[in-house]
Amino acid sequence: MNISKYKVEGNKKVELKNYATTEDHGFKKKELLDQHIPESVDKLKELHWRLHAEEKKGIVVVLQAMDAAGKDEAISYIFSNLTAQGLKTTSFQKPSDTELSHDYLWRIREGLPARGQIGILNRSHYEEVIAPRVHDLLDDETIPDDKDKEEIWSVRFRQINDFERYIVENGFEVIKFFFHMSKEEQKHRLLERMKNPKKNWEFSFSDVEERQHWDSYQEIFEDMLSNTSTDYAPWYILPADDEWYSRYIITEVMIDCLEKIDPQFPEISQENREKLDDYIEMLENEAD
Protein backbone atom coordinates (compact mmCIF):
# COMPACT_ATOMS: atom_id res chain seq x y z
CA MET A 1 0.00 0.00 0.00
CA ASN A 2 1.18 3.51 -0.84
CA ILE A 3 0.39 5.28 2.44
CA SER A 4 2.02 8.51 1.24
CA LYS A 5 -1.06 9.30 -0.90
CA TYR A 6 -3.05 9.87 2.31
CA LYS A 7 -0.40 12.02 3.95
CA VAL A 8 -0.78 15.81 3.94
CA GLU A 9 2.53 17.41 3.07
CA GLY A 10 3.61 20.34 5.22
CA ASN A 11 2.42 23.80 4.16
CA LYS A 12 -0.03 22.31 1.66
CA LYS A 13 -3.36 24.08 1.19
CA VAL A 14 -6.02 21.43 1.83
CA GLU A 15 -9.38 21.43 0.07
CA LEU A 16 -11.37 18.43 1.24
CA LYS A 17 -13.32 18.27 -2.02
CA ASN A 18 -10.07 17.01 -3.58
CA TYR A 19 -9.90 14.06 -1.18
CA ALA A 20 -12.09 11.01 -1.68
CA THR A 21 -14.33 9.75 1.09
CA THR A 22 -14.26 6.35 -0.59
CA GLU A 23 -12.16 4.97 -3.41
CA ASP A 24 -11.63 1.98 -5.66
CA HIS A 25 -8.69 0.50 -3.75
CA GLY A 26 -8.83 -2.91 -5.42
CA PHE A 27 -9.60 -4.86 -2.24
CA LYS A 28 -12.78 -6.74 -1.55
CA LYS A 29 -14.14 -6.47 1.97
CA LYS A 30 -13.60 -10.19 2.53
CA GLU A 31 -9.93 -9.84 1.52
CA LEU A 32 -9.48 -7.02 4.03
CA LEU A 33 -11.27 -8.89 6.82
CA ASP A 34 -9.75 -12.32 6.26
CA GLN A 35 -6.24 -11.52 5.10
CA HIS A 36 -4.84 -8.02 4.89
CA ILE A 37 -6.04 -6.52 8.17
CA PRO A 38 -5.25 -9.64 10.30
CA GLU A 39 -1.75 -9.82 8.79
CA SER A 40 -1.15 -6.13 9.41
CA VAL A 41 -2.48 -6.29 12.97
CA ASP A 42 -0.21 -9.25 13.75
CA LYS A 43 2.78 -7.30 12.46
CA LEU A 44 1.71 -4.24 14.46
CA LYS A 45 1.37 -6.35 17.62
CA GLU A 46 4.93 -7.65 17.28
CA LEU A 47 6.36 -4.16 16.73
CA HIS A 48 4.33 -2.82 19.65
CA TRP A 49 5.68 -5.53 21.95
CA ARG A 50 9.20 -4.45 21.04
CA LEU A 51 8.36 -0.76 21.63
CA HIS A 52 6.89 -1.62 25.03
CA ALA A 53 9.81 -3.84 26.00
CA GLU A 54 12.48 -1.33 24.94
CA GLU A 55 10.82 1.63 26.72
CA LYS A 56 12.83 4.23 24.84
CA LYS A 57 10.25 5.89 22.62
CA GLY A 58 6.48 6.31 22.39
CA ILE A 59 3.84 7.29 19.86
CA VAL A 60 1.01 9.82 20.14
CA VAL A 61 -1.95 9.00 17.87
CA VAL A 62 -4.52 11.74 17.24
CA LEU A 63 -8.00 10.85 15.95
CA GLN A 64 -10.25 13.68 14.71
CA ALA A 65 -13.53 13.54 12.83
CA MET A 66 -17.19 14.40 12.69
CA ASP A 67 -19.52 12.18 14.71
CA ALA A 68 -19.98 8.59 13.45
CA ALA A 69 -16.88 8.73 11.25
CA GLY A 70 -15.29 5.63 12.80
CA LYS A 71 -12.84 6.76 15.49
CA ASP A 72 -14.16 4.48 18.23
CA GLU A 73 -14.37 1.53 15.84
CA ALA A 74 -10.74 2.02 14.79
CA ILE A 75 -9.74 1.79 18.44
CA SER A 76 -11.86 -1.34 18.93
CA TYR A 77 -10.78 -3.21 15.82
CA ILE A 78 -7.10 -2.21 15.66
CA PHE A 79 -5.60 -0.83 18.83
CA SER A 80 -7.52 -3.08 21.24
CA ASN A 81 -5.50 -5.98 19.80
CA LEU A 82 -2.29 -4.55 21.26
CA THR A 83 -0.90 -5.31 24.70
CA ALA A 84 -2.87 -3.31 27.24
CA GLN A 85 0.20 -2.38 29.31
CA GLY A 86 1.64 -0.49 26.34
CA LEU A 87 -1.54 1.29 25.36
CA LYS A 88 -3.19 4.43 26.72
CA THR A 89 -6.50 5.79 25.40
CA THR A 90 -7.95 9.15 26.39
CA SER A 91 -11.17 10.77 25.18
CA PHE A 92 -11.67 14.51 25.45
CA GLN A 93 -15.05 16.18 25.87
CA LYS A 94 -16.08 19.77 26.52
CA PRO A 95 -13.54 21.38 28.90
CA SER A 96 -14.51 21.40 32.57
CA ASP A 97 -14.30 24.52 34.76
CA THR A 98 -11.02 23.22 36.16
CA GLU A 99 -9.60 22.71 32.67
CA LEU A 100 -10.74 26.17 31.57
CA SER A 101 -8.85 27.67 34.51
CA HIS A 102 -5.59 26.45 32.91
CA ASP A 103 -4.04 27.00 29.49
CA TYR A 104 -5.89 25.12 26.73
CA LEU A 105 -3.12 22.53 26.24
CA TRP A 106 -2.88 21.70 29.95
CA ARG A 107 -5.44 18.89 29.94
CA ILE A 108 -3.81 17.14 26.99
CA ARG A 109 -0.75 16.14 29.00
CA GLU A 110 -2.79 13.64 30.99
CA GLY A 111 -3.38 11.69 27.77
CA LEU A 112 0.24 11.58 26.63
CA PRO A 113 1.95 8.17 26.71
CA ALA A 114 4.97 7.05 28.68
CA ARG A 115 8.00 5.64 26.90
CA GLY A 116 7.08 2.24 25.55
CA GLN A 117 3.44 3.19 25.05
CA ILE A 118 1.13 4.21 22.24
CA GLY A 119 -1.15 6.97 23.46
CA ILE A 120 -4.43 7.42 21.58
CA LEU A 121 -6.17 10.78 21.79
CA ASN A 122 -9.80 10.21 20.80
CA ARG A 123 -10.35 13.83 19.93
CA SER A 124 -7.50 15.96 21.18
CA HIS A 125 -5.96 19.41 21.51
CA TYR A 126 -7.42 20.10 18.06
CA GLU A 127 -10.81 20.47 19.67
CA GLU A 128 -9.53 23.87 20.82
CA VAL A 129 -9.33 25.13 17.22
CA ILE A 130 -12.59 23.48 16.09
CA ALA A 131 -15.61 23.63 18.43
CA PRO A 132 -14.89 27.10 19.93
CA ARG A 133 -14.58 28.42 16.39
CA VAL A 134 -17.79 26.83 15.11
CA HIS A 135 -19.83 27.98 18.11
CA ASP A 136 -17.99 31.22 18.94
CA LEU A 137 -17.06 30.05 22.44
CA LEU A 138 -13.90 32.07 23.02
CA ASP A 139 -15.73 34.29 25.51
CA ASP A 140 -15.52 31.33 27.92
CA GLU A 141 -11.73 31.30 27.68
CA THR A 142 -8.85 33.59 28.48
CA ILE A 143 -6.98 34.72 25.37
CA PRO A 144 -3.95 37.02 25.01
CA ASP A 145 -4.81 40.66 25.62
CA ASP A 146 -3.15 41.79 22.39
CA LYS A 147 -5.10 39.37 20.16
CA ASP A 148 -8.63 39.53 18.80
CA LYS A 149 -10.81 36.51 18.11
CA GLU A 150 -9.82 36.14 14.48
CA GLU A 151 -6.09 36.28 15.24
CA ILE A 152 -6.22 33.63 17.93
CA TRP A 153 -6.57 30.70 15.51
CA SER A 154 -3.29 31.31 13.71
CA VAL A 155 -1.65 31.75 17.13
CA ARG A 156 -3.04 28.42 18.32
CA PHE A 157 -1.93 26.66 15.14
CA ARG A 158 1.61 27.87 15.80
CA GLN A 159 1.42 26.87 19.46
CA ILE A 160 0.13 23.40 18.59
CA ASN A 161 2.90 22.93 16.02
CA ASP A 162 5.46 23.98 18.64
CA PHE A 163 3.88 21.66 21.21
CA GLU A 164 4.04 18.71 18.83
CA ARG A 165 7.62 19.51 17.86
CA TYR A 166 8.52 19.48 21.56
CA ILE A 167 6.88 16.05 21.95
CA VAL A 168 8.70 14.63 18.91
CA GLU A 169 12.07 16.05 19.93
CA ASN A 170 11.67 14.29 23.27
CA GLY A 171 11.23 10.86 21.73
CA PHE A 172 7.50 10.59 21.01
CA GLU A 173 6.34 10.32 17.41
CA VAL A 174 3.07 12.10 16.56
CA ILE A 175 0.69 10.65 13.96
CA LYS A 176 -2.66 12.28 13.20
CA PHE A 177 -5.63 10.74 11.41
CA PHE A 178 -8.52 12.75 10.02
CA PHE A 179 -11.57 10.65 9.14
CA HIS A 180 -12.95 12.25 5.97
CA MET A 181 -16.58 11.20 5.74
CA SER A 182 -19.31 12.36 3.36
CA LYS A 183 -22.44 14.03 4.66
CA GLU A 184 -24.54 11.28 3.06
CA GLU A 185 -22.62 8.53 4.86
CA GLN A 186 -22.96 10.29 8.20
CA LYS A 187 -26.71 10.51 7.66
CA HIS A 188 -26.85 6.77 6.98
CA ARG A 189 -24.82 5.91 10.10
CA LEU A 190 -26.74 8.24 12.38
CA LEU A 191 -30.07 6.85 11.18
CA GLU A 192 -28.80 3.32 11.80
CA ARG A 193 -27.91 4.23 15.36
CA MET A 194 -31.25 5.91 15.91
CA LYS A 195 -33.40 3.12 14.42
CA ASN A 196 -31.54 0.08 15.75
CA PRO A 197 -32.32 -0.44 19.48
CA LYS A 198 -28.99 -2.24 19.91
CA LYS A 199 -27.16 0.84 18.68
CA ASN A 200 -29.21 3.54 20.44
CA TRP A 201 -26.51 3.81 23.12
CA GLU A 202 -24.07 5.05 20.44
CA PHE A 203 -26.33 7.93 19.51
CA SER A 204 -26.37 11.40 21.02
CA PHE A 205 -28.86 14.15 20.14
CA SER A 206 -25.90 16.48 19.84
CA ASP A 207 -24.72 14.44 16.82
CA VAL A 208 -27.68 15.70 14.78
CA GLU A 209 -27.38 19.19 16.23
CA GLU A 210 -23.71 19.42 15.24
CA ARG A 211 -24.56 18.16 11.76
CA GLN A 212 -26.41 21.43 11.17
CA HIS A 213 -22.98 23.11 11.16
CA TRP A 214 -21.50 20.71 8.59
CA ASP A 215 -20.21 23.35 6.16
CA SER A 216 -18.56 25.35 8.94
CA TYR A 217 -16.85 22.24 10.24
CA GLN A 218 -15.51 21.37 6.78
CA GLU A 219 -14.02 24.86 6.33
CA ILE A 220 -12.40 24.73 9.76
CA PHE A 221 -11.06 21.22 9.15
CA GLU A 222 -9.43 22.47 5.95
CA ASP A 223 -7.79 25.35 7.80
CA MET A 224 -6.63 23.01 10.57
CA LEU A 225 -5.16 20.45 8.16
CA SER A 226 -3.48 23.13 6.05
CA ASN A 227 -1.79 24.78 9.02
CA THR A 228 -0.85 21.87 11.28
CA SER A 229 0.39 19.06 9.04
CA THR A 230 4.16 19.12 9.43
CA ASP A 231 7.06 16.86 8.46
CA TYR A 232 7.44 15.82 12.10
CA ALA A 233 3.70 15.47 12.92
CA PRO A 234 1.78 14.75 9.71
CA TRP A 235 -1.93 14.40 9.13
CA TYR A 236 -3.33 11.45 7.18
CA ILE A 237 -6.73 11.97 5.52
CA LEU A 238 -8.69 8.72 5.51
CA PRO A 239 -11.48 7.86 3.03
CA ALA A 240 -13.74 7.18 6.00
CA ASP A 241 -16.90 6.15 4.14
CA ASP A 242 -15.05 2.84 3.73
CA GLU A 243 -14.52 1.90 7.38
CA TRP A 244 -12.52 -1.26 6.87
CA TYR A 245 -10.15 0.24 4.32
CA SER A 246 -9.59 3.21 6.65
CA ARG A 247 -8.65 0.80 9.42
CA TYR A 248 -6.22 -0.92 7.08
CA ILE A 249 -4.57 2.43 6.25
CA ILE A 250 -4.24 3.25 9.95
CA THR A 251 -2.58 -0.10 10.64
CA GLU A 252 -0.12 0.30 7.77
CA VAL A 253 0.78 3.86 8.83
CA MET A 254 1.43 2.64 12.39
CA ILE A 255 3.61 -0.19 11.08
CA ASP A 256 5.60 2.26 8.96
CA CYS A 257 6.19 4.50 11.98
CA LEU A 258 7.27 1.63 14.20
CA GLU A 259 9.58 0.18 11.56
CA LYS A 260 11.35 3.54 11.38
CA ILE A 261 11.71 3.56 15.17
CA ASP A 262 12.93 -0.06 14.93
CA PRO A 263 12.54 -0.95 18.63
CA GLN A 264 14.43 -3.99 19.91
CA PHE A 265 13.91 -6.40 22.76
CA PRO A 266 16.47 -5.55 25.49
CA GLU A 267 19.46 -7.88 25.64
CA ILE A 268 20.43 -9.42 28.94
CA SER A 269 23.92 -8.62 30.26
CA GLN A 270 26.62 -11.29 30.33
CA GLU A 271 26.54 -11.31 34.13
CA ASN A 272 22.80 -11.84 34.20
CA ARG A 273 23.03 -14.37 31.38
CA GLU A 274 25.27 -16.54 33.52
CA LYS A 275 22.91 -16.13 36.47
CA LEU A 276 19.96 -16.95 34.21
CA ASP A 277 21.66 -20.16 33.07
CA ASP A 278 22.23 -21.14 36.69
CA TYR A 279 18.57 -20.56 37.54
CA ILE A 280 17.42 -22.51 34.49
CA GLU A 281 19.59 -25.43 35.60
CA MET A 282 18.28 -25.14 39.18
CA LEU A 283 14.64 -25.25 38.08
CA GLU A 284 15.20 -28.07 35.63
CA ASN A 285 16.87 -30.15 38.35
CA GLU A 286 14.25 -29.32 40.95
CA ALA A 287 12.49 -32.36 42.34
CA ASP A 288 8.78 -32.62 41.51
Side-chain angles (χ1 to χ4, degrees):
M1 173 189 284
N2 178 20
I3 60 173
S4 63
K5 68 180 288 188
Y6 305 102
K7 183 178 180 180
V8 179
E9 298 300 327
N11 299 315
K12 180 179 180 179
K13 173 65 176 175
V14 172
E15 294 185 22
L16 287 173
K17 67 181 181 181
N18 297 327
Y19 291 82
T21 59
T22 186
E23 59 184 60
D24 182 12
H25 43 66
F27 296 116
K28 295 180 180 179
K29 183 176 179 180
K30 184 173 175 57
E31 287 181 291
L32 288 171
L33 289 174
D34 295 346
Q35 179 184 352
H36 298 294
I37 292 178
E39 289 177 353
S40 288
V41 168
D42 284 344
K43 191 171 184 179
L44 180 59
K45 285 168 67 175
E46 170 65 19
L47 288 164
H48 182 234
W49 264 116
R50 284 159 45 183
L51 180 82
H52 181 55
E54 189 179 58
E55 289 188 326
K56 289 184 178 179
K57 293 197 172 186
I59 304 175
V60 177
V61 178
V62 172
L63 307 179
Q64 286 290 154
M66 290 291 285
D67 298 305
K71 298 188 288 30
D72 294 340
E73 290 78 7
I75 294 171
S76 298
Y77 286 98
I78 299 172
F79 294 105
S80 64
N81 290 285
L82 306 182
T83 177
Q85 302 97 312
L87 195 65
K88 182 175 185 177
T89 303
T90 308
S91 297
F92 292 95
Q93 306 297 330
K94 181 179 179 180
S96 66
D97 289 341
T98 299
E99 289 167 341
L100 285 173
S101 70
H102 293 79
D103 67 273
Y104 72 95
L105 291 175
W106 175 81
R107 66 176 183 153
I108 300 302
R109 292 190 174 277
E110 184 178 346
L112 297 181
R115 299 189 190 280
Q117 287 185 327
I118 293 175
I120 302 168
L121 305 183
N122 187 1
R123 301 188 190 274
S124 65
H125 41 299
Y126 285 95
E127 289 298 299
E128 309 308 327
V129 292
I130 301 173
R133 197 169 175 184
V134 171
H135 297 292
D136 193 22
L137 299 176
L138 276 184
D139 289 339
D140 296 335
E141 302 184 37
T142 300
I143 63 175
D145 293 335
D146 61 336
K147 305 294 180 184
D148 61 32
K149 288 183 178 181
E150 289 308 310
E151 289 181 292
I152 201 62
W153 309 119
S154 60
V155 171
R156 286 194 174 183
F157 288 148
R158 175 183 57 77
Q159 291 169 340
I160 287 172
N161 289 339
D162 290 343
F163 175 65
E164 291 175 349
R165 183 189 292 275
Y166 168 81
I167 292 171
V168 172
E169 290 179 345
N170 281 275
F172 296 85
E173 298 298 320
V174 177
I175 303 175
K176 302 175 293 194
F177 296 104
F178 175 72
F179 293 69
H180 182 34
M181 175 179 58
S182 68
K183 193 173 184 179
E184 294 73 22
E185 180 63 19
Q186 192 202 43
K187 176 182 176 180
H188 169 74
R189 294 181 188 177
L190 291 178
L191 284 171
E192 184 180 12
R193 292 179 178 185
M194 296 164 74
K195 292 180 177 182
N196 185 343
K198 293 183 178 180
K199 293 191 174 184
N200 284 168
W201 66 273
E202 296 182 79
F203 172 73
S204 169
F205 291 110
S206 66
D207 296 346
V208 176
E209 293 165 3
E210 290 302 303
R211 180 178 166 83
Q212 307 310 308
H213 303 280
W214 181 274
D215 290 342
S216 294
Y217 271 108
Q218 301 309 301
E219 292 176 8
I220 290 167
F221 286 147
E222 289 178 342
D223 201 24
M224 174 193 78
L225 294 164
S226 299
N227 285 281
T228 61
S229 196
T230 59
D231 293 338
Y232 53 86
W235 279 104
Y236 290 84
I237 299 179
L238 306 173
D241 284 5
D242 189 335
E243 293 178 287
W244 287 105
Y245 187 59
S246 292
R247 294 165 198 167
Y248 184 42
I249 297 170
I250 292 171
T251 312
E252 289 295 300
V253 171
M254 295 300 301
I255 289 171
D256 180 69
C257 177
L258 278 159
E259 286 181 335
K260 290 175 180 176
I261 295 174
D262 193 25
Q264 302 296 319
F265 289 114
E267 293 187 6
I268 193 168
S269 67
Q270 182 58 38
E271 178 183 354
N272 283 334
R273 167 59 62 184
E274 293 173 359
K275 186 174 182 179
L276 181 65
D277 290 339
D278 290 340
Y279 275 60
I280 290 173
E281 182 179 1
M282 181 179 70
L283 286 176
E284 288 179 338
N285 294 328
E286 188 178 83
D288 293 335

